[in-house]
Amino acid sequence: MTIQETGQEAGQEVGRPRKRKEDARLLTGRTRWTDNLSRPGVLHVMFLRSPMAHARITRVDVSGAREFPGVVAAFSGEDFAAEQGSLPCAWPVTEDVVIPDHPPMAVSEVRYVGEAVACVIATDRYRAADALEAIEIDYEPLPAVLDMNEALTADSPKVHEAGNQAFTFTMTSGDIEAAFTDAPVLIDRTYRQQRLIPCAMEPRAVLADTDGDTFTMWTSTQIPHVLRVMLAVVTGIPEHQIRVVAPDVGGGFGSKLQVTAEEVLCLLLARKLGKPVKWAESRSEGNLTVHHGRDQIQHIRLAADADGRIRGLQVNLLADMGAYLMLVTPGIPLLGAQMFNAIYKMDAYEFGCTGVFTTKMPTDAYRGAGRPEATFAIERVMDELAAELRMDPVEVRRRNWIKHEEFPYTTISGLTYDSGNYEAATDKATAMFGYDKLRAEQADRRDRGDPVQLGIGVSTYTEMCGLAPSRMLGEANYAAGGWEHASVRMLPTGKVEVITGTSPHGQGHVTSWSQIAADALGVPFEDVAVIHGDTAIAHKGMDTYGSRSLVIGGVAVLKACEKVRDKARKLAAHVLECSPDDLEFEAGAFKVRGTDTQKTIQELAFAAFTAHSLPEGGEARLDSDATFDPDNYSFPHGTHLCAVEVDTETGMVKIRSYVAVDDIGKVVNPLIVEGQVHGGIAQGIGQALFEEAVYDADGNLLTTTLADYLLPSAADLPMFGLDRTESPATSNPLGVKGVGEAGTIASTPAVVNAVVDALRRFGIHDIEMPCTPERVWRALEGVRQ
C-alpha cells in the first residue's frame, strides 16, 4: 500500500501502514494473558455444571468433595443465595420485557446444560476438578424447551413461570398495506440464522484478589469499566473498592462483552475466603458457557414493481434468547431493526421481533450483533427479487440503492446516513472480480451441464456502527451512554502517554492511537505509549464493541491532544513573549509568525514540569483529557463478491475467488484495516459454510469441542482481493467510520448467494446455513427425485 493509495500526506502518521507495536510481545507469548497471572497463595476454582437442560435441584451434598486432598472449600448455589444477586440485563427493550432472575450459581432450578450448580476450591485446578466428582446432586427432570415456534404455543412447557415470551417489539414506517396491495411482485421467504459459538483464541479466565477492604479482578473481558459498575451493582461491594484489569485479551468478537457468572463468583469467593481465587475455562467448557450468537428465524416479505423497484418490506423475527437475558441479549436482534432496509429506498417498512426463552445457553452480542442477521436477510431477498424478474443481481440493487448525490439521506427506518458512494464501491468491486467474464463462464458451464457449477454471490451492505450516540441509546432504553474518554499526559522528557477508555482485544489500538497522537502533537510515533484496560489508571471508559473504538475512542484521543496543544500554545506564548494568536503550530513546534523563533511541544512539556515561568493561572502540566459523544452513528458500506464452485455430485462447495471493496471513511492504518477485513470475512464464511451449534432433543449441546464445531482454516479460504473507496464520515473530525465488523456483516450473504446461484437452475432457492456438502447434496437429491 503506497502513501498515495492511502491519501496520506508526506510526514503524516495517519494513513501510514505501520506494523503493530503490540505484535512483538503478543506473537512471541511475552505477554499478560489472564491465565498467565498468579498471586501468592492463589486458589483454583472449578465449577460443577448441570448435565440437564431443565430440572429442579432437589438435593446438593458437597461434603464428599471437601474430603479430597488439597480442597479448601466446596459450595452449592444455596451457599451463595443471599449474596450472589442476579446477573444483569442492561437493555430492557420494552416496558413489559420479562427479565427473570439469573443467579450466577443455580439454587433451585437449572435451565440449560452447563449452568453452574456447585464449585470446589483447591490448591490447584486438577485437584479441584477431581473433587467435583464427589459432589452429589439430585435432579427432578423437567421438559426441555428447544423449538421457538413450539415454545410460543399455549401447551408448551415453561422455561420461566412468566412464560416463554420475553418481549415483542414492532415498528412501522410508511403505508405498508398500500405498498403490498396489488404489488406486481411479491417475495416471501423464511431464513434461518443458525446458532453460533464464539471461539476466541484465548479462553476466558478470571483472577480475583482482596486485601480485605478492596478487590482487584483480572479478567479476559472487553468491558472492564462496564464490568466494574455491574460487579458493584450485583454484589453490593462499593464501586470504589473494586478494580478491574483487562490484561492482553486474546480475542472477543462480542463473547467477552459480558458480566459472567464466573466473574461474580470468583469475586464472592475471594471475599468469602480472603484469598486470591482463579478460574480458567477449557475449550469444551467455553463452548457450553460462553454466550452464543445469532439464532433467529426470519420471515421476510418484499413487494416490488415489475421493473424491480422496491415498494415495501416486512420483517418478522423470532429470536432465541436462550434461558436468560444476559447483558444486552434482548437488544441484539433489535440492533438490526433499522438495518433490514439497508442501502435501499422504499415506500414502507414494517419490523417485528419476538424474543423467545428456550432451555439453551443464552445468546448475546457476537461480531456484528444484529447487523449481520439483517444484511443476510435483505441481501438474500434481493437476489430472490432479481431471480423472479430474471434480472442481474447487481442491476436490481442499482435500481434501488441511495445515490451518492442524495447523501445525507434519511432512510425509511429513520436513520440518517451521512455519506457514501455505493456506485463507486460496486464499480470497483465488479471490475476487480471480473464480473462479466465470470457470468460468461457460468453460462457456459450451465450449457455444458458441467457437474461442477459456478455460482456468483453479491452483497452490497451498510452497517450502523460506532455504537455511541448517548441520546439515541437512551431513546432505545439502553442502560448506559455511548461516549468515550481519553487522557493525554505529556511527560517531562517530551514523551507522551495516551490513556484510553477503550479496551482492545486484538484490534491494534496501541498502534492506531499512537498514530493519531503523533500527528496531533507533532511528536515521533515511537514517543507515544498507549495505556488501557485498568480501571485504576484508565478510570473512565465505555470499552470496546460495536466498531466504536476508533470512531469514538480514537476521536476522544484526538480531542484530548487538541486540549494539550491549547495549553502548550499559552505556555509557548508566555515563554516566547508573544500573543498566542501570533503562533502557528507545525511539525510539533510553535513558531512565531515571520521569525525563526520557536519552541517544540516537547520542550514546553519540560518547561511546564519545571514550572519556573508559567503564565498567570497556568498549571505545571500540559496533561488534558476529553470525552467524545457523537451526534450520529457511522455507516460504513461496501460491495463483496464471491464466486464458488459447487460439485453437484458430492455437494462440496469451494470458494474460488472473493473480492471486497469497503468504504470505511478515512483510514488510520491500512495494514490493520486489511487484517480486520480478512478476519471478518473468514468469520462470515464460517457461518455460511462451516459453523453451527447443535442441540439434541434433550437439550444437550453436541458441538462442545472443535472436533464437532467446525471452524474454517486458512486452507479453506481463498486469497481475498481487497480495496477501498473513501467517503469520509461527517459525524467525527477524523472522518472515520469503523471496520471491525464489516467483513463479517457482508461476507455471509455473499457466500450463500453464490451457493444458491450455482444451484438455482435446479430449482433450489435456499440452502439453510451452514451450506455443508451434506445439505447441498440433500437439496440436490430432493429435486432429482
Side-chain angles (χ1 to χ4, degrees), residues 420-433:
N421 191 327
Y422 310 137
E423 303 98 307
T426 303
D427 287 347
K428 182 174 282 191
T430 51
M432 290 174 59
F433 192 61

Side-chain angles (χ1 to χ4, degrees), residues 40-272:
V42 66
L43 300 174
H44 296 260
V45 60
M46 296 291 284
F47 295 99
L48 184 66
R49 300 187 180 278
S50 169
M52 307 191 72
H54 198 194
R56 291 190 184 92
I57 300 172
T58 59
R59 184 180 74 94
V60 181
D61 184 354
V62 299
S63 60
R66 292 172 179 156
E67 303 302 317
F68 271 60
V71 170
V72 174
F75 301 104
S76 68
E78 188 64 43
D79 295 320
F80 284 103
E83 59 179 323
Q84 68 177 340
S86 178
L87 294 177
C89 174
W91 202 340
V93 292
T94 62
E95 290 185 2
D96 59 352
V97 62
V98 176
I99 304 179
D101 285 343
H102 185 185
M105 189 179 292
V107 177
S108 60
E109 191 169 327
V110 292
R111 293 181 171 88
Y112 63 91
V113 172
E115 190 168 3
V117 293
C119 66
V120 172
I121 305 92
T123 52
D124 68 57
R125 62 180 301 180
Y126 304 103
R127 289 177 171 178
D130 289 343
L132 290 178
E133 297 180 7
I135 297 176
E136 297 179 6
I137 300 186
D138 292 337
Y139 295 99
E140 179 186 318
L142 296 169
V145 179
L146 303 171
D147 182 273
M148 285 189 278
N149 283 301
E150 292 180 6
L152 295 176
T153 61
D155 57 352
S156 172
K158 293 182 178 180
V159 181
H160 298 281
E161 189 57 36
N164 297 337
Q165 182 173 293
F167 67 88
T168 57
F169 177 93
T170 59
M171 61 178 286
T172 303
S173 181
D175 190 337
I176 196 72
E177 184 176 349
F180 276 82
T181 299
D182 298 326
V185 182
L186 291 174
I187 307 293
D188 191 320
R189 297 288 187 270
T190 298
Y191 301 121
R192 178 65 195 248
Q193 285 278 325
Q194 79 271 37
R195 178 175 281 247
L196 301 178
I197 302 175
C199 294
M201 186 176 291
E202 179 204 14
R204 294 177 299 152
V206 183
L207 172 61
D209 197 5
T210 179
D211 63 7
D213 295 319
T214 61
F215 299 84
T216 301
M217 176 178 287
W218 296 264
T219 179
S220 180
T221 183
Q222 298 174 219
I223 53 167
H225 298 91
V226 173
L227 178 59
R228 182 192 189 203
V229 173
M230 292 302 180
L231 287 173
V233 170
V234 171
T235 67
I237 298 171
E239 184 183 352
H240 67 286
Q241 294 178 7
I242 300 174
R243 175 189 179 193
V244 175
V245 182
D248 290 318
V249 176
F253 315 113
S255 70
K256 296 173 184 174
L257 166 58
Q258 196 55 261
V259 179
T260 68
E262 295 83 6
E263 287 163 333
V264 171
L265 292 169
C266 282
L267 186 64
L268 294 177
L269 285 167
R271 181 171 68 176
K272 187 183 289 285

Side-chain angles (χ1 to χ4, degrees), residues 96 142-143 326 370 428 475 481 608 634 664 671 701:
D96 59 352
L142 296 169
M326 297 191 76
K428 182 174 282 191
E475 292 169 356
S634 65
I664 59 168
L671 284 180
L701 182 67

Side-chain angles (χ1 to χ4, degrees), residues 299-353:
H299 184 202
I300 313 296
R301 296 182 71 235
L302 181 142
D305 289 331
D307 62 358
R309 187 189 73 85
I310 301 171
R311 297 175 59 164
L313 179 68
Q314 288 181 309
V315 176
N316 191 354
L317 303 184
L318 290 183
D320 195 332
M321 303 288 98
Y324 299 98
L325 303 186
M326 297 191 76
L327 191 63
V328 291
T329 300
I332 297 305
L334 304 189
L335 282 172
Q338 293 178 290
M339 298 308 299
F340 278 86
N341 52 281
I343 65 174
Y344 306 115
K345 298 180 284 188
M346 58 192 69
D347 303 325
Y349 172 58
E350 182 178 82
F351 173 89
C353 177

